[in-house]
Amino acid sequence: MRSNLHRLGDRWHLDEVFLTINGKLQYLWRAVDQDGDVLDILVQPRRNKKAAKKFFRKLLKGLQYVPRAIITDKLGSYAAAKAEVMPSVEHRQQGRLNNRAENSHQPTRERERRMRGFKSPGHAQRFLSIFGVIASFFRPGRHLLAAKNYREIMRRRFTQWREIVGMQPAI
């Protein structure tokens, strides 16, 4: 599905949010591009430089390109890890620039409530890594499209989804 979407952006918005799994605090690290498409997620028990480096390496390995800029909140772990892993990339930390990443947590929180939490960090990692791609696949930026174009894009995406999951088309 990811290959059928448009090319992912070169400006990454990174953020982390806490999850409570079996009474233990875990952190969900998330990266989205400038269009709000989820690039990758990682569930980890820490929020330090080592955790940020692991997340950066996972992003670079999976996407196989270096961004033009990264935008984060003011957590010091990002700056320390970026200096080692991606020293040539511009890093911006001004207030409210990272709202794109903050808003990307909303569907996750809604899904977490419906599922009554996650059973383990592995369960959260597996579910959310797939959920992010599928959710962005079915949200093509409605505000940017005329109704006719939106309906056509959604028709094509549902047809494509049926082919991927092996469903017969509706009559």
Side-chain angles (χ1 to χ4, degrees):
M1 280 178 42
R2 202 172 258 174
S3 64
N4 293 326
L5 290 175
H6 62 281
R7 172 133 163 57
L8 297 171
D10 64 348
R11 197 171 67 228
W12 296 352
H13 296 258
L14 308 170
D15 193 38
E16 74 291 333
V17 66
F18 71 91
L19 298 173
T20 303
I21 301 173
N22 289 333
K24 294 183 180 176
L25 195 64
Q26 300 283 328
Y27 293 95
L28 170 66
W29 297 70
R30 179 190 313 271
V32 297
D33 70 357
Q34 67 260 25
D35 300 319
D37 294 326
V38 175
L39 301 173
D40 208 349
I41 66 131
L42 183 62
V43 178
Q44 299 186 91
R46 303 212 188 289
R47 199 173 76 143
N48 56 14
K49 176 182 167 183
K50 183 178 176 184
K53 281 174 60 175
K54 183 176 181 181
F55 184 52
F56 283 161
R57 285 191 182 113
K58 185 175 191 284
L59 274 169
L60 292 171
K61 181 181 174 190
L63 298 172
Q64 299 175 350
Y65 72 95
V66 177
R68 180 176 46 85
I70 62 170
I71 300 166
T72 67
D73 54 13
K74 295 192 174 149
L75 179 66
S77 303
Y78 287 120
K82 186 208 86 72
E84 289 185 24
V85 179
M86 298 184 287
S88 63
V89 175
E90 177 188 359
H91 185 197
R92 300 179 64 195
Q93 293 181 301
Q94 289 93 359
R96 294 195 182 83
L97 279 178
N98 208 29
N99 282 351
R100 174 80 60 198
E102 298 290 347
N103 289 336
S104 74
H105 295 306
Q106 292 172 354
T108 301
R109 289 292 189 204
E110 181 183 334
R111 180 56 53 183
E112 181 184 17
R113 275 192 299 278
R114 287 186 185 182
M115 293 174 67
R116 297 191 179 128
F118 297 107
K119 309 275 186 268
S120 68
H123 173 242
Q125 176 74 41
R126 284 188 307 274
F127 176 79
L128 292 172
S129 62
I130 299 299
F131 177 72
V133 175
I134 292 171
S136 61
F137 182 72
F138 288 108
R139 290 189 188 116
R142 172 69 184 98
H143 64 288
L144 301 173
L145 303 167
K148 181 180 177 182
N149 298 341
Y150 177 77
R151 284 191 294 270
E152 177 59 27
I153 288 171
M154 290 305 291
R155 186 190 62 73
R156 272 192 258 129
R157 289 188 180 184
F158 274 106
T159 302
Q160 194 174 3
W161 176 253
R162 285 186 203 99
E163 289 172 7
I164 291 169
V165 297
M167 288 176 43
Q168 296 297 323
I171 297 174

